[in-house]
Amino acid sequence: MTITVSDLKDYLRISHNDDDTFLATLLETAKALAYEKTGISYVSGDLLYEQLLKYLVQHFYDDRTAFADKQTVEVPYTLTTLIKHITYRGEFEPPEQADEQQAEQTE
């Protein structure tokens, strides 16, 4: 499943369309930041990566006035943990492929 603006609106509980373009921009920003931090590109269906993108978009959306208010908001621990996990686990491998490889190794 590829994350859409509609998915983000559901996740963030947004019912209006005023921020659709902004959310699309935040999603692309989240993908760029996630790739920069992990060195791994987003693959549709990677549940951990998709959750990371949703968390990042939520963080960006909720804290979009941080600079105007002269507050700084640290990246939540959850984001840091997901970034590290995705970085160290390597490229995403769908579960069925992992099962097939494990079966081949035991034969």
Side-chain angles (χ1 to χ4, degrees):
M1 166 183 121
T2 300
I3 297 178
T4 65
V5 169
S6 179
D7 296 329
L8 293 173
K9 288 170 65 174
D10 288 344
Y11 181 74
L12 297 170
R13 298 183 180 140
I14 297 171
S15 57
H16 57 80
N17 297 326
D18 299 343
D19 292 335
D20 285 8
T21 303
F22 183 54
L23 288 171
T25 301
L26 291 180
L27 178 58
E28 292 307 310
T29 302
K31 286 179 183 178
L33 179 65
Y35 177 76
E36 185 177 303
K37 293 288 188 182
T38 65
I40 298 170
S41 297
Y42 167 64
V43 175
S44 181
D46 182 340
L47 299 179
L48 286 175
Y49 210 111
E50 288 175 359
Q51 192 61 51
L52 171 62
L53 294 177
K54 288 177 183 177
Y55 282 150
L56 282 170
V57 169
Q58 178 183 14
H59 179 68
F60 296 152
Y61 187 80
D62 290 346
D63 299 318
R64 63 188 177 275
T65 60
F67 294 109
D69 294 341
K70 298 191 188 255
Q71 297 174 333
T72 56
V73 179
E74 290 187 32
V75 174
Y77 179 74
T78 304
L79 290 174
T80 306
T81 301
L82 279 172
I83 288 168
K84 286 180 182 177
H85 180 74
I86 291 168
T87 300
Y88 295 126
R89 73 171 180 172
E91 291 289 339
F92 173 70
E93 187 176 281
E96 57 275 0
Q97 287 181 355
D99 291 343
E100 289 171 12
Q101 287 179 353
Q102 187 176 16
E104 288 172 7
Q105 290 175 356
T106 58
E107 292 177 356

